[in-house]
Amino acid sequence: MAQIQPVTFPIVGDATKLEVTMLPFSTSATTAGTFYTLTTDDGKTCLSGNYYMTEQEFADWGQDNSYVDDIAAAFLGVTIVAE
């Protein structure tokens, strides 16, 4: 889970956290999907959905899983901040 600069969602509140979960993929895959959730400090879901990595993003992934958070944050237009 990554802390983000607050994003206001009317009715729900300010999203402050980004959680990204990788969807299952085969060992021969050239791309992969993610499930993302933006939540408030008290765990209310503001936004959730799927993002599918491009072949290039998947190839660049390597061993640093924070790379996946960065891709999802860029897709959503949010900024990850230091915890």
Side-chain angles (χ1 to χ4, degrees):
M1 185 172 312
Q3 292 290 116
I4 61 169
Q5 287 183 348
V7 178
T8 301
F9 286 84
I11 301 172
V12 181
D14 291 341
T16 57
K17 295 179 172 61
L18 167 64
E19 183 168 357
V20 181
T21 303
M22 293 302 303
L23 301 176
F25 58 92
S26 72
T27 55
S28 62
T30 58
T31 187
T34 67
F35 177 74
Y36 61 81
T37 307
L38 293 177
T39 60
T40 62
D41 281 335
D42 58 352
K44 293 179 186 169
T45 299
C46 297
L47 181 70
S48 63
N50 295 93
Y51 175 74
Y52 292 89
M53 299 167 74
T54 66
E55 287 185 20
Q56 187 62 53
E57 289 169 338
F58 186 75
D60 291 344
W61 179 6
Q63 296 179 346
D64 182 5
N65 288 340
S66 67
Y67 175 76
V68 178
D69 288 341
D70 294 342
I71 291 171
F75 171 72
L76 294 166
V78 299
T79 303
I80 295 175
V81 296
E83 294 184 39

